[in-house]
Amino acid sequence: MMNKIFLDNGMEAVEATYTNFPLEEYNSNPFIQALPPLIDKQSIIRKLMFPINFKEEEREMDSAYRLHMIHRLYNIFQPLPIHLDIWSMVFSLIYQGYIARNPFDKEYRKYINQSGKQIINRSYDINKRVNFRTTASSGILIGYSGMGKTTTINQILTNIPQIIVHKEYNGQHFNQIQVSHLTLQTPHNSSLKALTLQFFMKIDELLGTNTFKKHVSRNLSTDAMLPLLGQVAQNIGLGMLIIDEIQHLQNRGIQQMMNYFVTLINSFGVSVLFIGTPASYSIFQNEFRIARRVTGNGEIIWNNMKNDKEFRFFLESIWKYQWNRNFTLLSEEIIQATYEETQGVSDLIVKLFVNIQAMSITSGKEDITVNMIRKVAKEQFKLMRPMIDAIKSKNPYKIAQFEDLRTMDFPTDVLQKKENIAHFMMKTKKTDKKVTQTFNNEQKIDINQRKVKKNNNYADDDLRRLFQQANKSDTSVYQLLLENGFIDDMNSWKEG
């Protein structure tokens, strides 16, 4: 049991107690030994599970109270297999990152002193190779909005004390404050300076220090502030930096910010965890250095749940929390209707269940039906309907229209082709006849240049097969593209 203490600014911290690990590399390092011991899967599930208050007799209470009780469902946390993977990734990033940063290691202390002097003298070169072999790495958690990425990370981090106060280690004086993790939000304008300022302000808020006032000035460039940020991270024993909403990075800021994180990992030994929606795929696919570090260390792609055992388990786990007077059993029809209207997005499942109960209570019917599920979804998910329909269609082109829904299951080249067609269709405002003629002309040029044989047999997903089919029939290329789901019906766009 860790002893809680309070810093001068009122923030809660814990007094360091040291655990001996079976892993030799984890011992003799106070930063690691002060962290919680590693636990098995069953213990992880118990740590993560967050049930809500519920009593069957509450169903008999007045509807005015029950309409408030159903909102307890928004606080429920039901562990799933993917949560165990995320737990392992988070703990691995923090523990492994500290291996090379043992404050009692002579070589590490020598490196800290040398780099500290260079930073003070403003001679530190972030582009120069340093004599420090980091064990820090980066991890990626990418998933649909509403799957609970940030909530899961926060739930896991509640099991790791954020602020640890060291006083003595193995009989030696060790006066040190350790910050095991810190979360920052990606600025919408991709500003490195805004991210750096956010770091200093968060540290001051946590520890009651004045790093912001000490290190920040109008004339100080971002390149000059990065070494100062790294020095502060080393001084407080920062284990992991979490960068949330990474999809907010814009094209002009990606390269610079990724250089920033690579330096933070390589030169200062701080592990970095990126959290974002599928819109951030391209950031990591285009940045080899980050992708290389992530591969094998922590890369979790969290798509919507399929209509399988996992979805049913999740639905069953919340279904018992019913405040309508007549408890409704979970039937196969209800399961299928719930999946169709939510497509396995956990946030939508909970919201649908809450609103169904609200309708059940206010209408006086006091039970749940399939028609009620359809009606609630139609009324409450109006803004989400195009996205839900895109997921349901499994059509890569339709999904690609919503960057936050793209999955890694679809080949990048196919998505690119569809995005190019979408761009072409939206840019041109021509009649069907002119569009068809354009495609046919491009086909003829392609045939002349490549000398394609007429008897070529193309794969089903090859666009050239449609061109070939159009030549052998009276159907236009445009019509074939439309029928095969590569493009949308322009008339439906006009009607919308």
Side-chain angles (χ1 to χ4, degrees):
M1 186 72 179
M2 294 184 174
N3 295 326
K4 293 182 180 180
I5 57 178
F6 292 91
L7 304 181
D8 293 339
N9 65 337
M11 291 297 293
E12 185 180 286
V14 299
E15 186 176 347
T17 56
Y18 303 107
T19 302
N20 286 320
F21 289 89
L23 287 73
E24 182 180 347
E25 62 269 29
Y26 283 4
N27 293 324
S28 73
N29 187 328
F31 285 153
I32 298 178
Q33 289 187 273
L35 297 173
L38 303 177
I39 56 178
D40 59 28
K41 289 184 178 180
Q42 292 302 319
S43 299
I44 293 173
I45 292 172
R46 286 193 293 270
K47 291 278 189 181
L48 288 178
M49 188 171 291
F50 191 84
I52 56 178
N53 295 326
F54 176 79
K55 296 177 182 178
E56 290 189 4
E57 51 265 32
E58 291 175 340
R59 293 173 181 157
E60 302 304 321
M61 295 182 69
D62 188 90
S63 61
Y65 293 100
R66 289 184 289 138
L67 287 172
H68 284 260
M69 291 174 184
I70 59 178
H71 290 276
R72 295 175 188 169
L73 281 162
Y74 291 126
N75 297 319
I76 197 171
F77 192 95
Q78 175 59 54
L80 298 171
I82 194 168
H83 295 132
L84 302 181
D85 295 335
I86 298 171
W87 175 290
S88 297
M89 179 179 69
V90 169
F91 272 71
S92 178
L93 286 171
I94 295 178
Y95 283 58
Q96 289 289 318
Y98 277 130
I99 292 178
R101 298 169 60 200
N102 188 337
F104 285 92
D105 180 82
K106 292 182 180 179
E107 291 300 318
Y108 179 65
R109 284 190 295 180
K110 181 180 178 180
Y111 166 71
I112 291 296
N113 292 333
Q114 289 177 346
S115 59
K117 290 178 181 178
Q118 292 173 353
I119 292 171
I120 292 173
N121 297 327
R122 296 189 177 182
S123 60
Y124 186 87
D125 186 359
I126 61 175
N127 298 314
K128 185 178 180 181
R129 188 176 183 85
V130 295
N131 187 26
F132 170 63
R133 187 171 183 177
T134 183
T135 54
S137 186
S138 61
I140 298 177
L141 174 57
I142 296 179
Y144 284 3
S145 296
M147 291 307 297
K149 302 180 297 297
T150 303
T151 300
T152 299
I153 293 297
N154 290 338
Q155 187 74 359
I156 292 172
L157 292 178
T158 59
N159 295 277
I160 305 175
Q162 186 174 22
I163 308 173
I164 304 172
V165 178
H166 301 260
K167 295 181 179 178
E168 184 180 292
Y169 178 73
N170 288 344
Q172 301 181 64
H173 178 70
F174 183 51
N175 188 19
Q176 171 75 45
I177 286 183
Q178 173 186 356
V179 177
S180 61
H181 54 86
L182 184 71
T183 301
L184 302 180
Q185 300 292 322
T186 305
H188 285 270
N189 60 356
S190 303
S191 169
L192 276 175
K193 192 162 188 176
L195 187 74
T196 307
L197 298 181
Q198 186 185 160
F199 172 87
F200 288 129
M201 288 188 288
K202 281 282 187 81
I203 293 299
D204 288 346
E205 181 184 345
L206 277 177
L207 305 180
T209 52
N210 64 341
T211 57
F212 183 88
K213 185 176 181 181
K214 182 179 179 181
H215 296 304
V216 176
S217 68
R218 291 182 178 179
N219 299 325
L220 204 59
S221 67
T222 304
D223 287 343
M225 283 195 290
L226 176 57
L228 297 173
L229 184 152
Q231 185 182 39
V232 171
Q234 288 177 333
N235 290 341
I236 63 174
L238 180 60
M240 179 174 68
L241 187 64
I242 302 158
I243 309 297
D244 202 358
E245 306 293 353
I246 194 69
Q247 73 276 2
H248 289 162
L249 281 182
Q250 300 170 1
N251 290 332
R252 62 183 179 83
I254 291 176
Q255 187 67 38
Q256 189 182 12
M257 192 164 281
M258 285 305 167
N259 288 337
Y260 194 87
F261 294 130
V262 169
T263 301
L264 195 61
I265 295 170
N266 289 343
S267 300
F268 301 106
V270 178
S271 292
V272 180
L273 172 60
F274 300 101
I275 305 175
T277 67
S280 55
Y281 283 152
S282 58
I283 296 173
F284 301 102
Q285 290 172 337
N286 295 334
E287 188 55 52
F288 174 74
R289 290 173 301 165
I290 290 292
R292 178 179 62 83
R293 282 199 167 277
V294 168
T295 303
N297 292 293
E299 178 183 358
I300 297 178
I301 307 300
W302 194 354
N303 296 328
N304 60 314
M305 288 183 278
K306 305 300 181 185
N307 191 359
D308 54 15
K309 292 181 180 179
E310 183 176 332
F311 166 72
R312 290 167 183 255
F313 172 75
F314 181 81
L315 189 56
E316 288 170 0
S317 68
I318 67 172
W319 198 255
K320 58 186 176 184
Y321 298 110
Q322 290 186 37
W323 280 274
N324 39 280
R325 289 202 169 98
N326 303 322
F327 181 83
T328 303
L329 294 174
L330 188 59
S331 65
E332 186 64 27
E333 291 77 13
I334 289 177
I335 292 173
Q336 294 303 324
T338 301
Y339 188 82
E340 287 179 19
E341 300 299 344
T342 64
Q343 289 300 300
V345 177
S346 53
D347 181 58
L348 296 183
I349 296 170
V350 174
K351 285 180 178 176
L352 181 63
F353 191 41
V354 169
N355 284 284
I356 289 170
Q357 291 196 52
M359 177 178 286
S360 171
I361 294 170
T362 55
S363 66
K365 294 182 179 179
E366 297 291 352
D367 58 5
I368 297 173
T369 64
V370 171
N371 289 337
M372 195 177 292
I373 292 173
R374 304 289 189 194
K375 185 176 181 180
V376 169
K378 183 178 180 180
E379 293 177 356
Q380 300 295 328
F381 294 167
K382 290 179 180 178
L383 294 178
M384 290 292 297
R385 181 55 52 192
M387 285 74 89
I388 294 173
D389 289 343
I391 299 173
K392 189 186 300 184
S393 73
K394 295 183 174 59
N395 186 319
Y397 164 68
K398 291 184 178 180
I399 292 174
Q401 294 180 73
F402 307 99
E403 288 189 338
D404 286 351
L405 297 183
R406 286 179 51 179
T407 69
M408 293 298 286
D409 297 336
F410 300 118
T412 304
D413 59 338
V414 173
L415 284 172
Q416 188 61 51
K417 287 177 183 177
K418 299 181 190 313
E419 288 171 355
N420 289 341
I421 293 174
H423 177 70
F424 171 79
M425 294 301 297
M426 293 183 69
K427 195 171 183 179
T428 61
K429 293 184 179 179
K430 302 179 179 180
T431 62
D432 291 356
K433 182 177 180 181
K434 289 183 179 180
V435 171
T436 302
Q437 186 62 44
T438 302
F439 275 118
N440 288 334
N441 289 341
E442 289 181 356
Q443 180 210 2
K444 292 176 182 178
I445 295 172
D446 182 74
I447 291 175
N448 290 332
Q449 290 178 344
R450 297 174 181 264
K451 298 181 180 180
V452 178
K453 295 181 180 180
K454 293 183 179 180
N455 61 349
N456 275 348
N457 293 320
Y458 298 112
D460 291 343
D461 60 349
D462 194 320
L463 291 179
R464 290 173 294 179
R465 183 183 64 81
L466 297 181
F467 295 146
Q468 190 180 65
Q469 185 178 341
N471 278 342
K472 297 178 180 179
S473 65
D474 296 331
T475 308
S476 67
V477 175
Y478 171 76
Q479 186 62 34
L480 289 174
L481 288 170
L482 182 64
E483 292 174 358
N484 285 269
F486 286 99
I487 58 177
D488 271 345
D489 185 354
M490 300 296 287
N491 292 326
S492 64
W493 290 15
K494 292 176 183 179
E495 292 172 1

